[in-house]
mmCIF file of all heavy atoms in Angstrom:
data_model
loop_
_atom_site.group_PDB
_atom_site.id
_atom_site.type_symbol
_atom_site.label_atom_id
_atom_site.label_comp_id
_atom_site.label_asym_id
_atom_site.label_seq_id
_atom_site.Cartn_x
_atom_site.Cartn_y
_atom_site.Cartn_z
ATOM 1 N N ARG A 546 -23.645 -65.682 31.932
ATOM 2 C CA ARG A 546 -23.505 -65.770 33.392
ATOM 3 C C ARG A 546 -22.764 -64.550 33.937
ATOM 4 O O ARG A 546 -23.107 -64.023 34.997
ATOM 5 C CB ARG A 546 -22.767 -67.056 33.762
ATOM 6 C CG ARG A 546 -22.488 -67.225 35.251
ATOM 7 C CD ARG A 546 -21.750 -68.529 35.514
ATOM 8 N NE ARG A 546 -21.313 -68.636 36.892
ATOM 9 C CZ ARG A 546 -20.581 -69.629 37.357
ATOM 10 N NH1 ARG A 546 -20.206 -70.620 36.549
ATOM 11 N NH2 ARG A 546 -20.207 -69.649 38.630
ATOM 12 N N LEU A 547 -21.724 -64.104 33.206
ATOM 13 C CA LEU A 547 -20.969 -62.925 33.623
ATOM 14 C C LEU A 547 -21.673 -61.624 33.276
ATOM 15 O O LEU A 547 -21.239 -60.565 33.741
ATOM 16 C CB LEU A 547 -19.589 -62.935 32.950
ATOM 17 C CG LEU A 547 -18.593 -64.006 33.371
ATOM 18 C CD1 LEU A 547 -17.331 -63.910 32.529
ATOM 19 C CD2 LEU A 547 -18.254 -63.877 34.846
ATOM 20 N N ASP A 548 -22.746 -61.706 32.463
ATOM 21 C CA ASP A 548 -23.367 -60.515 31.880
ATOM 22 C C ASP A 548 -22.257 -59.682 31.245
ATOM 23 O O ASP A 548 -21.976 -58.538 31.643
ATOM 24 C CB ASP A 548 -24.104 -59.706 32.947
ATOM 25 C CG ASP A 548 -25.002 -58.636 32.329
ATOM 26 O OD1 ASP A 548 -25.043 -58.538 31.073
ATOM 27 O OD2 ASP A 548 -25.650 -57.888 33.082
ATOM 28 N N LEU A 549 -21.610 -60.294 30.235
ATOM 29 C CA LEU A 549 -20.374 -59.765 29.688
ATOM 30 C C LEU A 549 -20.517 -58.342 29.167
ATOM 31 O O LEU A 549 -19.607 -57.525 29.308
ATOM 32 C CB LEU A 549 -19.878 -60.689 28.569
ATOM 33 C CG LEU A 549 -18.401 -60.591 28.201
ATOM 34 C CD1 LEU A 549 -17.528 -60.784 29.423
ATOM 35 C CD2 LEU A 549 -18.055 -61.633 27.143
ATOM 36 N N ASP A 550 -21.653 -58.031 28.573
ATOM 37 C CA ASP A 550 -21.862 -56.669 28.068
ATOM 38 C C ASP A 550 -21.774 -55.669 29.209
ATOM 39 O O ASP A 550 -21.120 -54.628 29.097
ATOM 40 C CB ASP A 550 -23.215 -56.581 27.368
ATOM 41 C CG ASP A 550 -23.462 -55.210 26.780
ATOM 42 O OD1 ASP A 550 -22.636 -54.743 25.977
ATOM 43 O OD2 ASP A 550 -24.484 -54.587 27.139
ATOM 44 N N ALA A 551 -22.397 -55.986 30.334
ATOM 45 C CA ALA A 551 -22.350 -55.094 31.495
ATOM 46 C C ALA A 551 -20.960 -55.082 32.129
ATOM 47 O O ALA A 551 -20.491 -54.043 32.606
ATOM 48 C CB ALA A 551 -23.394 -55.526 32.526
ATOM 49 N N ALA A 552 -20.278 -56.233 32.143
ATOM 50 C CA ALA A 552 -18.945 -56.307 32.736
ATOM 51 C C ALA A 552 -17.943 -55.454 31.970
ATOM 52 O O ALA A 552 -16.997 -54.900 32.551
ATOM 53 C CB ALA A 552 -18.473 -57.755 32.779
ATOM 54 N N LEU A 553 -18.153 -55.328 30.654
ATOM 55 C CA LEU A 553 -17.254 -54.537 29.819
ATOM 56 C C LEU A 553 -17.617 -53.058 29.785
ATOM 57 O O LEU A 553 -16.778 -52.222 29.449
ATOM 58 C CB LEU A 553 -17.257 -55.084 28.390
ATOM 59 C CG LEU A 553 -16.576 -56.432 28.164
ATOM 60 C CD1 LEU A 553 -16.896 -56.960 26.773
ATOM 61 C CD2 LEU A 553 -15.065 -56.316 28.347
ATOM 62 N N ALA A 554 -18.844 -52.728 30.110
ATOM 63 C CA ALA A 554 -19.324 -51.352 29.986
ATOM 64 C C ALA A 554 -18.452 -50.387 30.783
ATOM 65 O O ALA A 554 -18.178 -50.599 31.970
ATOM 66 C CB ALA A 554 -20.771 -51.262 30.455
ATOM 67 N N GLY A 555 -18.005 -49.323 30.128
ATOM 68 C CA GLY A 555 -17.218 -48.290 30.791
ATOM 69 C C GLY A 555 -15.754 -48.634 30.982
ATOM 70 O O GLY A 555 -15.001 -47.827 31.530
ATOM 71 N N ARG A 556 -15.326 -49.810 30.538
ATOM 72 C CA ARG A 556 -13.961 -50.271 30.776
ATOM 73 C C ARG A 556 -13.045 -49.936 29.602
ATOM 74 O O ARG A 556 -13.502 -49.672 28.495
ATOM 75 C CB ARG A 556 -13.959 -51.780 31.022
ATOM 76 C CG ARG A 556 -14.834 -52.208 32.197
ATOM 77 C CD ARG A 556 -14.170 -51.897 33.508
ATOM 78 N NE ARG A 556 -15.058 -52.080 34.644
ATOM 79 C CZ ARG A 556 -14.648 -52.104 35.916
ATOM 80 N NH1 ARG A 556 -13.354 -51.959 36.178
ATOM 81 N NH2 ARG A 556 -15.507 -52.246 36.892
ATOM 82 N N LEU A 557 -11.755 -50.011 29.860
ATOM 83 C CA LEU A 557 -10.768 -49.807 28.802
ATOM 84 C C LEU A 557 -10.139 -51.127 28.368
ATOM 85 O O LEU A 557 -10.002 -51.400 27.184
ATOM 86 C CB LEU A 557 -9.678 -48.843 29.261
ATOM 87 C CG LEU A 557 -8.545 -48.587 28.264
ATOM 88 C CD1 LEU A 557 -9.089 -48.020 26.952
ATOM 89 C CD2 LEU A 557 -7.496 -47.659 28.862
ATOM 90 N N SER A 558 -9.774 -51.951 29.322
ATOM 91 C CA SER A 558 -9.096 -53.213 29.021
ATOM 92 C C SER A 558 -10.098 -54.350 28.994
ATOM 93 O O SER A 558 -10.710 -54.673 30.017
ATOM 94 C CB SER A 558 -8.017 -53.501 30.064
ATOM 95 O OG SER A 558 -7.488 -54.803 29.904
ATOM 96 N N ASP A 559 -10.265 -54.972 27.824
ATOM 97 C CA ASP A 559 -11.218 -56.079 27.720
ATOM 98 C C ASP A 559 -10.757 -57.296 28.492
ATOM 99 O O ASP A 559 -11.554 -57.929 29.205
ATOM 100 C CB ASP A 559 -11.443 -56.448 26.247
ATOM 101 C CG ASP A 559 -10.148 -56.722 25.509
ATOM 102 O OD1 ASP A 559 -9.188 -55.939 25.657
ATOM 103 O OD2 ASP A 559 -10.077 -57.718 24.764
ATOM 104 N N ASP A 560 -9.468 -57.647 28.402
ATOM 105 C CA ASP A 560 -9.021 -58.857 29.082
ATOM 106 C C ASP A 560 -9.008 -58.690 30.600
ATOM 107 O O ASP A 560 -9.366 -59.617 31.335
ATOM 108 C CB ASP A 560 -7.652 -59.335 28.574
ATOM 109 C CG ASP A 560 -6.713 -58.204 28.211
ATOM 110 O OD1 ASP A 560 -6.931 -57.079 28.691
ATOM 111 O OD2 ASP A 560 -5.764 -58.464 27.454
ATOM 112 N N MET A 561 -8.619 -57.501 31.099
ATOM 113 C CA MET A 561 -8.667 -57.282 32.546
ATOM 114 C C MET A 561 -10.100 -57.329 33.053
ATOM 115 O O MET A 561 -10.383 -57.921 34.100
ATOM 116 C CB MET A 561 -8.027 -55.936 32.903
ATOM 117 C CG MET A 561 -6.522 -55.880 32.769
ATOM 118 S SD MET A 561 -5.640 -56.980 33.909
ATOM 119 C CE MET A 561 -6.112 -56.303 35.502
ATOM 120 N N ALA A 562 -11.032 -56.709 32.315
ATOM 121 C CA ALA A 562 -12.435 -56.710 32.739
ATOM 122 C C ALA A 562 -12.996 -58.126 32.779
ATOM 123 O O ALA A 562 -13.658 -58.529 33.748
ATOM 124 C CB ALA A 562 -13.267 -55.839 31.804
ATOM 125 N N ILE A 563 -12.733 -58.919 31.735
ATOM 126 C CA ILE A 563 -13.243 -60.283 31.679
ATOM 127 C C ILE A 563 -12.558 -61.151 32.722
ATOM 128 O O ILE A 563 -13.207 -61.954 33.415
ATOM 129 C CB ILE A 563 -13.059 -60.870 30.267
ATOM 130 C CG1 ILE A 563 -13.925 -60.103 29.269
ATOM 131 C CG2 ILE A 563 -13.400 -62.356 30.239
ATOM 132 C CD1 ILE A 563 -13.674 -60.464 27.817
ATOM 133 N N GLY A 564 -11.243 -60.996 32.866
ATOM 134 C CA GLY A 564 -10.511 -61.796 33.835
ATOM 135 C C GLY A 564 -10.953 -61.540 35.265
ATOM 136 O O GLY A 564 -11.189 -62.475 36.033
ATOM 137 N N LEU A 565 -11.070 -60.269 35.637
ATOM 138 C CA LEU A 565 -11.488 -59.950 37.002
ATOM 139 C C LEU A 565 -12.925 -60.379 37.258
ATOM 140 O O LEU A 565 -13.261 -60.857 38.349
ATOM 141 C CB LEU A 565 -11.315 -58.455 37.260
ATOM 142 C CG LEU A 565 -9.855 -57.966 37.312
ATOM 143 C CD1 LEU A 565 -9.801 -56.446 37.410
ATOM 144 C CD2 LEU A 565 -9.115 -58.604 38.482
ATOM 145 N N ALA A 566 -13.787 -60.238 36.251
ATOM 146 C CA ALA A 566 -15.164 -60.718 36.402
ATOM 147 C C ALA A 566 -15.184 -62.233 36.596
ATOM 148 O O ALA A 566 -15.948 -62.762 37.410
ATOM 149 C CB ALA A 566 -15.993 -60.327 35.180
#
Side-chain angles (χ1 to χ4, degrees):
R546 177 180 172 184
L547 292 176
D548 192 0
L549 200 54
D550 182 56
L553 289 169
R556 302 284 170 167
L557 178 59
S558 171
D559 53 315
D560 35 20
M561 288 296 297
I563 295 172
L565 292 173

